[in-house]
Amino acid sequence: MLALRLTRTARPAVHLRRLLVTLASGGTGFLLLCSLGHALSHPESPSASALRLAWSLTPLAATVHLAVAVSRTDPATKPRPGLSSIGLGPARLMTIAATTTALSTTLGSLLALLLFLHLRGDLTGIPFDGAAADALAAGRPLPLPASVTLLSLVPVLASASVALVLRPRDTRPGATRGTARSYGRFGAYGRSAARETVGAYGRFGAHLRGGRAASRPLRDGHGAAGAAPARSGETPPVTDTPPQDQDPTRPPAPRTAPSGLPWGIATLAAGLAVEAYASRTTQNRTFELPGLTTTATPAVLVGLALTVLGLALAAPALTHLTGRLLQSAGPGALRLLAGRVLMEEATRIGHPLGIVCAVASAAYAMTTLYDPSEPSFGPLATLGTVLVTGCALATLLTAAVEARQARADTTAALVRLGAPATMLRTAAALRAAALLTLFTPLTLLVAELAALPLR
C-alpha cells in the first residue's frame, strides 16, 4: 500500500519515466509472445523459434537497464532525515523501489498480453484481415504456463536488478570486505588494522594508558570522538560512525579514472578481428535474421556484438578523459567547473552514453547486410529496433537527471556564493558539446570499422 501511495502522489516527471518503463515492458513482452506464437505455428523449425527468442534478449536487457535507471531517480527511493524512525530505512526503501518497478513492468506485460490476444482474434475477431494470424499462431490454443513464464521475465528481472542496485551497503570507513565484526577492548566496535600480541597488554603499563584513554570519552559523553590522540607506537582508535550526508544506498562518485578503457579497447579489437576472419572464410552456416529479409553468419554477429560491447566498456574512461581535457591549458572557472563535473559523473553518464553510441554503431553496421532492393524491416524487427533505441536514449536522459539530482547541493552552494545561473547553464552546454565532440566521430569510426569487413 505504501508503494501505491508513493506512486500515486509522485510528480508528473516521475510518472512519465514510469510510463516509459511500462511501454518498454509491454513491447518486450509482446516480442516474447511473438516468439512463442512462431514456435506454435512452425513446430518443424525449432531452431528458428529459438533464434527469435534469443533475438528478444536485447530488448529485454534494454528494458531492464531503463527500469534500473528510472528507479535510481525516483524520489521515493532516496533516504531522508527521519524516515528510519518510522521504519523506512534503506532496506525498506529498496523494497518499495522493487515493488514500484514490479507494478510498472507487470502493467506493461498485461498490456502486451491483451494486444497479443487481440491480434490473434481471441477477444473480438481477427483484425487486419488476418495479416498477423500466421505469426501469432491464430486458431491454436495458447499454453498458459509458457505465456506466464515469458511475461514474467521482465517484471522478475527488473525487480531483482533494482533490488540489487539499491541494496543497503556498509558505508563504515574502516569496513573491509571479508572482515568480521567484533567487539574489542572497552566495547570498541570494529577491528583495528594492527593486532596486539599476547604480552602487549602488560608491557610498561599499556593497560593504564589504555584505561585513561578510554575513560575520557566516558567523562565527556562523546564516545570515541573525544578520545585523546594516539601516542607513538599505539594503534589509533577506530570510529565507525558513517558520514551523515552520505547516501546509504548509493556509492559516492569515483574520483579516479574508470579502469574500463584497456578492456574496452581489447574487446573492440577482438570484435573487429572476428568480423575480419568471418568475412574471409567461405564455409560458414548462415541463418535468416528474425523479421528481416537477409542472412548472416554467427561469427559476424559475435564480432559485431564484441565491437559494440568494447565501445560501451570504454565510454566511462573516455568521459573522464573529456573532463580532464576540459581543464587543461590554464582553465578558467567555467572550464574548471565543467571538467570537474564530467570527471565526477564519468561512470554515471559514461555507461548510458556508451550504450547509445554502441546502438548507433551497430545500426550503421547492420545496414551493410541489407538488400536495398527489398524491404528489409518487418514489423517485429521495427518494434525491436525502436525498443532498443528508445530505451537507450531514455536511459541516457534519465542518467542525466540522476546526475543533476546528485549535484543539487553543489549547485545550491554555488548559487549562494553568487554564481550566476547563466554560468551554470553554460557549463552544462559546454559539457554536452565536449561529449558530442569526442563521441560523435568515435562512433562513426567504430561503425565504419565494424562495417568494413561486412562489405
Side-chain angles (χ1 to χ4, degrees), residues 108-302:
S109 298
L110 292 178
L111 293 177
L113 179 61
L114 291 178
L115 179 61
F116 185 76
L117 294 178
H118 173 68
L119 294 178
R120 276 171 48 91
D122 295 338
L123 299 180
T124 58
I126 301 179
F128 305 114
D129 297 330
D134 182 65
L136 305 181
R140 292 180 173 85
L142 191 65
L144 181 60
S147 304
V148 173
T149 301
L150 292 177
L151 289 178
S152 62
L153 284 179
V154 178
V156 171
L157 292 179
S159 303
S161 301
V162 169
L164 181 64
V165 171
L166 299 182
R167 70 187 186 278
R169 294 180 174 87
D170 191 2
T171 57
R172 294 186 296 117
T176 56
R177 185 174 299 178
T179 302
R181 297 181 178 180
S182 61
Y183 292 89
R185 292 181 307 177
F186 305 105
Y189 183 77
R191 182 172 292 176
S192 59
R195 302 185 63 180
E196 294 180 344
T197 58
V198 177
Y201 184 77
R203 282 202 303 265
F204 302 104
H207 60 286
L208 299 178
R209 292 197 300 269
R212 289 194 297 267
S215 61
R216 292 192 187 98
L218 296 178
R219 289 197 298 267
D220 55 22
H222 293 286
R231 301 179 182 178
S232 177
E234 294 183 1
T235 302
V238 179
T239 59
D240 299 312
T241 304
Q244 297 298 325
D245 56 347
Q246 187 172 350
D247 190 348
T249 63
R250 297 180 179 90
R255 298 183 179 272
T256 59
S259 59
L261 186 58
W263 291 101
I265 295 176
T267 307
L268 179 62
L272 294 176
V274 170
E275 287 189 48
Y277 175 77
S279 63
R280 292 181 178 274
T281 183
T282 57
Q283 297 179 355
N284 277 330
R285 186 176 66 90
T286 60
F287 52 84
E288 184 178 356
L289 300 180
L292 307 176
T293 58
T294 184
T295 59
T297 62
V300 167
L301 296 181
V302 170

Side-chain angles (χ1 to χ4, degrees), residues 353-371:
L353 182 60
I355 291 176
V356 170
C357 296
V359 170
S361 62
Y364 179 81
M366 289 294 291
T367 55
T368 60
L369 296 174
Y370 301 151
D371 187 2

